[in-house]
Amino acid sequence: MKLNLNSISPAVFKVSAAETADGTQNRADIVASGRLLAYEYARKGANGVRAAMGIKENAGEQRLTDTEYKELNEAFQASHLLYAANQADKFLGRTSPSTFEEFRRKGQNYHKNSMFYQVLAGIWQEILTPILPRVYSEAVGVFADVVEVGFGETYALSIGSNDIPVFQDSAWGASRSVPRNRFYSKEYTLNPQPRTAQINAKWTQLVGNNVDFGQFFANISAGLYAKTMGMWNAAMTAAIADTSLVPSNLSVVFSNQNWMTLANRLSAVNSTQISNLFATGNAVALSKVLPTQATGSTNVNMDAAIATLLGADYTRTGYLGEFMSVRLMPLVDAIVPGTQNTTVETILDPTKVFMMAGNGRKPLTIGYNRDTPITLEVDPSKAGDQEIAVNMTIALDSVAVFESHIGVVTIA
């Protein structure tokens, strides 16, 4: 997973009153605080990944210490819930609570108040609008190209020819008699369609102690990543069976010789060096690239690989580095929805590794609506258990393009 949050403009955290729904500085401060929480939580996760990979650079500039993050989170919880209560009370013509403790005591006034939830949803949407697309596009950047599409618009994608001209033996004056090579581009369209998720939570989770709103916003990004990973996995699985996308001699069963043969073919067909190739997929599949041969209680080849190829980085952090000049880049897997608390199944196939050119076009292109990246609706349940439902919709579309050739390695 790639996360490079330096690409988020500092202006995102300096919200002016004119940018908010009601034009007040109070709301602007609330939105800016929420954006900073979302950024900081994502930054910590990104730096953790980079540390595990032995990369020292930060994924983004550190803005808050752990203590400052905790204090900001508590202040954000109180300020944005009080703000929503105040707006609802103005509409109903009643006195608003002056402190967060008073708000909690009067919680039943707001638990089933639709105006209160409309204000909350609006604040969350203003927070996520500039943050979510950036975190999302960086997270999927390893395996897909991400483009922005205007609301209600169609995005036209032109994929150039990957054909190679064949030079024939000829003679002076007869150069036009050789067979023609045709370069054709291929046109694709992206029409983002709504993808919806719903979260049910208890009222006490919203107003209780130790609610981490940075994590809440990050979980929305995680759900979007899981959906995208599923789209990518479906496209790649279909491509394996289509020889027009993955020719038969670019699909091999793993062995050292087959690995290098595939790398050599991809290097040639993509006009790049083998060192510019990378292999990606499930971390379990990539770990099997290192051959093992059990002799007694010792895995001889694995031990040799660790000692001579990967060294201390592998034993210390588990980062796979490269194998026979091809970089190994495990993808962050995603849980099959609905299995997270039962069978815990992951989306990526643990027997498939995809090899591709790092400087080529990604096999999948994803388009999302840029103007309204996510819409939120919050509703209380009619039941007595004080549940609230958060309904989230984002418009996405994807297309498998395969302009640059990729290879598939099957590992038993």
Side-chain angles (χ1 to χ4, degrees), residues 124 197-201 216 376-379 388-392:
W124 292 346
Q198 182 157 306
I199 298 170
N200 279 28
F216 169 74
L376 285 155
E377 295 180 1
V378 188
D379 295 301
I388 55 173
V390 183
N391 187 282
M392 299 168 290

Side-chain angles (χ1 to χ4, degrees), residues 287-288 290-308 314:
S287 70
K288 293 178 182 178
L290 299 174
T292 61
Q293 177 179 332
T295 301
S297 61
T298 303
N299 290 328
V300 177
N301 289 354
M302 176 66 88
D303 291 346
I306 291 175
T308 62
Y314 182 85

Side-chain angles (χ1 to χ4, degrees), residues 222-397:
L224 184 55
Y225 179 83
K227 177 63 179 177
T228 307
M229 181 62 73
M231 295 161 64
W232 182 83
N233 192 59
M236 300 299 277
T237 300
I240 294 173
D242 187 343
T243 55
S244 68
L245 297 177
V246 182
S248 57
N249 67 347
L250 293 183
S251 181
V252 302
V253 176
F254 177 75
S255 71
N256 284 7
Q257 183 175 352
N258 285 347
W259 179 273
M260 280 310 300
T261 300
L262 178 60
N264 188 61
R265 287 171 179 165
L266 287 174
S267 170
V269 76
N270 288 309
S271 302
T272 190
Q273 300 289 329
I274 291 179
S275 59
N276 286 333
L277 300 177
F278 70 92
T280 191
N282 184 297
V284 175
L286 285 174
S287 70
K288 293 178 182 178
V289 165
L290 299 174
T292 61
Q293 177 179 332
T295 301
S297 61
T298 303
N299 290 328
V300 177
N301 289 354
M302 176 66 88
D303 291 346
I306 291 175
T308 62
L309 175 66
L310 300 174
D313 282 345
Y314 182 85
T315 55
R316 183 178 66 254
T317 68
Y319 177 52
L320 297 176
E322 65 180 47
F323 180 69
M324 301 181 78
S325 299
V326 178
R327 288 169 291 157
L328 307 182
M329 298 178 62
L331 289 174
V332 175
D333 212 337
I335 294 294
V336 174
T339 71
Q340 63 269 22
N341 294 315
T342 55
T343 54
V344 190
E345 299 174 27
T346 54
I347 289 174
L348 295 177
D349 189 338
T351 67
K352 293 290 188 290
V353 169
F354 300 96
M355 192 182 294
M356 60 190 74
N359 58 350
R361 180 184 282 275
K362 306 297 192 301
L364 191 72
T365 298
I366 299 167
Y368 71 91
N369 283 155
R370 66 169 175 264
D371 299 320
T372 53
I374 192 166
T375 60
L376 285 155
E377 295 180 1
V378 188
D379 295 301
S381 70
K382 302 299 182 183
D385 57 0
Q386 292 193 318
E387 276 199 348
I388 55 173
V390 183
N391 187 282
M392 299 168 290
T393 300
I394 187 166
L396 287 177
D397 194 14

